[in-house]
Amino acid sequence: MSEQLDILCVGLSCLDIINEVSYYPEEDMDCRFLLDDFAKYGVNTDHLVEVGGCSCPTSCVILSQTTGSRTIIHANAGLPELSVDDFSKVDLTVFDWIHFEGRNVANVVKMIEVVRKHNQKHQDSKSITISVEVEKAKAELDALIPLPDVLFVSKDYAKFKGFSNMAETVEKIQTQAYPGCLVICPWGEAGASMGREGSELVKSPAFPPTKVVDTLGAGDTFNAATIFALSRGYSHSSSITFACRLAGAKVGVQGWEAFRQILCDSNLGTPLTSSTSELMGRGS
């Protein structure tokens, strides 16, 4: 028998998580699924920009049944960010509110400038409200802080900037924001705060479900619910409470279909349940 040799291996160790499915989507099926899903939920895609030679961005999400936490593996095979030229082709006169995700910063800065110029040119009509979400803990997002009328600041970004709670975040960000900007900061289980410089800070508690099932999309739900309520003239207090209630409901169910069913079967789909109207007008 030959002498035993010691062998050194140099490389990378990797955890393989294998997902076995009955079939894998063919090319372009993911994009078709997204378009069909938008149509199912009544989302207009007339201004969608299609880019040839790229596959659909895809995320694989691992949800923990114990904690409800999520791990996301994202792949984007070369799809470029939205260009200012493509955005400039949109007829802005049909919109009351435009919301920007905090990414593609250099182009988003220019897109917001396009909207500002549109508002200046059409002063005889209602101005388009501009909102932005800064979510990721990235310094490049600082450039977006002074630009919108409504600013959503995530807990992750706030902590990245050294803030310890939502009230401090709203107060400090207000000093850097666009004049009169409404700053909104959701803080998970602590609820959310909202305010603009010179006005009273408004707070809402969180409304956690009995069991955390799926946290995916809770932040988007909060943003959408806030925009929905504010754009219809509801007070700051009603709007932020409405958003916290819906975000809490989303965390308690799996996916969007179950969430939609909850909205249909309850009064969660309206900001107010009282018979007394709290329509206070924009900025109340």
Side-chain angles (χ1 to χ4, degrees), residues 40-265:
K40 176 182 177 181
Y41 291 103
V43 178
N44 187 302
T45 56
D46 288 349
H47 300 291
L48 182 97
V49 178
E50 294 190 47
V51 181
C54 300
S55 60
C56 177
T58 305
S59 293
C60 178
V61 183
I62 303 171
L63 295 175
S64 168
Q65 292 183 349
T66 303
T67 64
S69 68
R70 61 185 185 266
T71 301
I72 302 175
I73 302 97
H74 180 72
N76 179 0
L79 181 69
E81 296 284 1
L82 182 69
S83 71
V84 180
D85 287 341
D86 283 329
F87 180 79
S88 298
K89 295 173 184 177
V90 177
D91 178 10
L92 300 183
T93 60
V94 301
F95 297 101
D96 299 302
W97 191 301
I98 297 177
H99 178 70
F100 293 92
E101 182 183 6
R103 58 180 300 133
N104 187 23
V105 174
N107 282 353
V108 166
V109 168
K110 294 177 182 177
M111 292 176 202
I112 292 175
E113 184 179 347
V114 169
V115 182
R116 290 289 181 206
K117 288 181 178 179
H118 169 88
N119 284 342
Q120 292 172 3
K121 185 178 179 180
H122 297 84
Q123 294 186 22
D124 56 333
S125 58
K126 184 179 177 182
S127 292
I128 298 171
T129 300
I130 302 168
S131 63
V132 169
E133 179 194 26
V134 289
E135 180 185 12
K136 301 292 192 296
K138 295 182 178 180
E140 64 184 281
L141 299 183
D142 295 355
L144 299 174
I145 298 296
L147 303 181
D149 304 303
V150 178
L151 179 65
F152 293 89
V153 181
S154 76
K155 180 179 178 180
D156 286 346
Y157 179 83
K159 286 189 170 184
F160 171 69
K161 299 301 292 183
F163 307 138
S164 59
N165 57 66
M166 57 191 178
E168 180 189 12
T169 301
V170 173
E171 179 184 355
K172 295 293 179 62
I173 293 293
Q174 283 173 347
T175 64
Q176 309 166 34
Y178 189 79
C181 176
L182 182 62
V183 180
I184 303 164
C185 181
W187 204 273
E189 295 178 354
S193 289
M194 172 192 296
R196 59 163 50 99
E197 197 167 21
S199 66
E200 182 181 359
L201 183 70
V202 174
K203 293 186 274 187
S204 171
F207 297 87
T210 304
K211 179 182 178 182
V212 174
V213 176
D214 179 6
T215 59
L216 192 66
D220 293 328
T221 300
F222 177 88
N223 294 348
T226 304
I227 292 172
F228 174 87
L230 289 175
S231 65
R232 282 155 178 77
Y234 286 98
S235 69
H236 293 172
S237 178
S238 293
S239 298
I240 198 170
T241 301
F242 174 63
C244 285
R245 284 188 182 277
L246 261 65
K250 173 62 193 75
V251 169
V253 296
Q254 183 80 50
W256 296 109
E257 190 57 36
F259 180 61
R260 179 167 72 166
Q261 195 59 49
I262 286 180
L263 297 184
C264 292
D265 295 344

